[in-house]
Amino acid sequence: MSSPRDRQARIATFVAYAVQGLSFATLLVQTATLQDRHRLDEGSLTLLLLVVPVFAGVGSLAAGSFAHRRGSKLMLRVAQPAVAAAVVLAGIAPDVPVLLVALLLFGLAVGAVDAGINMQGVAVERRYGRAVLNGFHSMWSVFSLAGALWASAAAELDLAVIMGVPMVLAVAACPYAGPRLCTLQEEKVEASTATVTGRQPWRPIIPLCLAMGFLYVGDAAVSNFSTVFMQDVMAASREVVPLAYAAYQGATLAVRLGGDFAVRRYGPAAIVRIGGAIATLGFLGVVLAPNQPLTIVAFGLTGVGLSVVAPQSFSAAGRLDPAGTGVAIARVNLFNYVGFIIGAALVGGIADAADMRVAFAAPLVLAAVIVVLARGFEPAVTGRGQASERR
């Protein structure tokens, strides 16, 4: 039975995920516009985009250490406004050096926020005693979709306005959520209810880490290059270019809204297995699609499939860390950026060497591997017939 304090923390966590989704989409859907403004070729764009996941990994590692000592609540209250400031700076950057500074700040802050919101989400899930993490990720998708649709509707406005208006809303939401998030004490689990071994073995989280990495290879392909694909391969107009990313986020949202119910009914492994198969089909559609509408549908299918992997990875990591130290979550979250780095480099490199259609075959193959990895999400059954995470 949830308490009023649990419900307050849950609402605040919803807001934190919403702010992150809006901030991330506001920057990412402008990749093609920033490329044109700063006259970047595919190789230069790829190198510049790599700044974000590299420094996000640094930010995530620093966040894990900070949150262990001071809690993710304080960290989020500082890092989320910093993400918004970086997005605005990218929108007004007059040249590549200033854009680089914006991306450095964005990467560091977004890494801290990604780790922090998932620490909060897992803490709330523990307090509720049932699957709720998909709901938080669905809120991320709602506001990421809103950011993409805003970019489409405001395409004729100045870039500073397009990127600045959503960030005003993001900064305004932070003072509401911050004070209501779980405290350091609330994130931890009492020793009497958790087995604390003093260490976190790698073996049980390897399938989660790999699935997370492969997911984000696909996500990097869509986030970084869907607008470029629509503009350069499909010759889409400025109004149509953001719709591929909007379809991806819209489909992601639709699945995540019912994701917690599906996980409770069928189990995490089955949901991840089905998701991997659908994502594979979606990327195949991107590679083969003959026109703009079918391309947008194909990007939507990739969202359907990939959407289930991250929430289940973090949820499973939380179960592997019953003391609530955040170590397992931080490790899994690190592969978010490993996958994003590999995805940006792999897809961008193949596109430079061959073409953008061929480049999307890479996430197609890795999405198929997620189907094989899904078994690692299945709780093992102990000799007493109780479910526990594989060890």
Side-chain angles (χ1 to χ4, degrees), residues 270-294:
I271 297 303
V272 171
R273 190 174 293 115
I274 293 168
I278 294 174
T280 303
L281 181 62
F283 282 117
L284 180 62
V286 173
V287 171
L288 300 177
N291 55 47
Q292 293 177 20
L294 288 179

Side-chain angles (χ1 to χ4, degrees), residues 260-277:
D260 289 326
F261 299 102
V263 170
R264 293 169 201 162
R265 184 178 179 89
Y266 301 108
I271 297 303
V272 171
R273 190 174 293 115
I274 293 168

Side-chain angles (χ1 to χ4, degrees), residues 101-378:
V101 171
L103 294 178
L104 287 171
L105 175 60
F106 182 81
L108 286 170
V110 87
V113 174
D114 277 345
I117 60 176
N118 284 295
M119 289 175 190
Q120 288 287 323
V122 168
V124 172
E125 186 170 77
R126 282 199 189 100
R127 295 174 71 86
Y128 270 72
R130 65 176 189 271
V132 299
L133 208 57
N134 274 290
F136 294 133
H137 283 260
S138 72
M139 185 61 72
W140 190 99
S141 299
V142 167
F143 280 82
S144 186
L145 174 61
L149 292 176
W150 160 254
S152 177
E156 299 303 321
L157 299 178
D158 184 78
L159 187 61
V161 175
I162 297 173
M163 299 178 74
V165 169
M167 293 306 93
V168 171
L169 298 176
V171 171
C174 290
Y176 170 82
R180 296 168 174 83
L181 294 168
C182 288
T183 64
L184 176 61
Q185 291 72 29
E186 290 170 332
E187 287 186 78
K188 303 299 180 185
V189 178
E190 293 295 329
S192 60
T193 66
T195 301
V196 182
T197 64
R199 64 183 184 87
Q200 176 63 57
W202 269 98
R203 183 178 177 182
I205 67 170
I206 287 174
L208 314 180
C209 292
L210 291 176
M212 179 70 86
F214 295 160
L215 149 67
Y216 276 100
V217 169
D219 187 76
V222 177
S223 298
N224 289 331
F225 298 107
S226 63
T227 55
V228 178
F229 188 96
M230 293 299 294
Q231 178 177 278
D232 294 350
V233 178
M234 305 310 299
S237 67
R238 289 184 65 189
E239 290 76 16
V240 174
V241 162
L243 296 184
Y245 186 73
Y248 175 74
Q249 290 298 342
T252 295
L253 167 61
V255 173
R256 285 177 173 171
L257 285 172
D260 289 326
F261 299 102
V263 170
R264 293 169 201 162
R265 184 178 179 89
Y266 301 108
I271 297 303
V272 171
R273 190 174 293 115
I274 293 168
I278 294 174
T280 303
L281 181 62
F283 282 117
L284 180 62
V286 173
V287 171
L288 300 177
N291 55 47
Q292 293 177 20
L294 288 179
T295 302
I296 292 170
V297 170
F299 275 112
L301 277 177
T302 67
V304 170
L306 295 179
S307 63
V308 300
V309 180
Q312 294 318 304
S313 296
F314 286 119
S315 184
R319 293 193 298 273
L320 287 167
D321 183 16
T325 66
V327 173
I329 293 172
R331 288 180 181 176
V332 171
N333 188 59
L334 180 61
F335 279 78
N336 170 345
Y337 309 115
V338 171
F340 212 87
I341 291 167
I342 293 172
L346 188 62
V347 175
I350 296 173
D352 224 13
D355 62 59
M356 191 63 74
R357 282 189 186 274
V358 175
F360 272 89
L364 184 161
V365 173
L366 295 179
V369 178
I370 292 175
V371 177
V372 180
L373 294 169
R375 185 175 180 274
F377 289 74
E378 192 70 68

Side-chain angles (χ1 to χ4, degrees), residues 3-19 120 124 128 136 139 173 176-178 180-182:
S3 68
R5 172 62 190 130
D6 293 339
R7 292 191 289 274
Q8 182 187 61
R10 188 180 186 184
I11 292 170
T13 305
F14 272 124
V15 174
Y17 272 84
V19 169
Q120 288 287 323
V124 172
Y128 270 72
F136 294 133
M139 185 61 72
Y176 170 82
R180 296 168 174 83
L181 294 168
C182 288

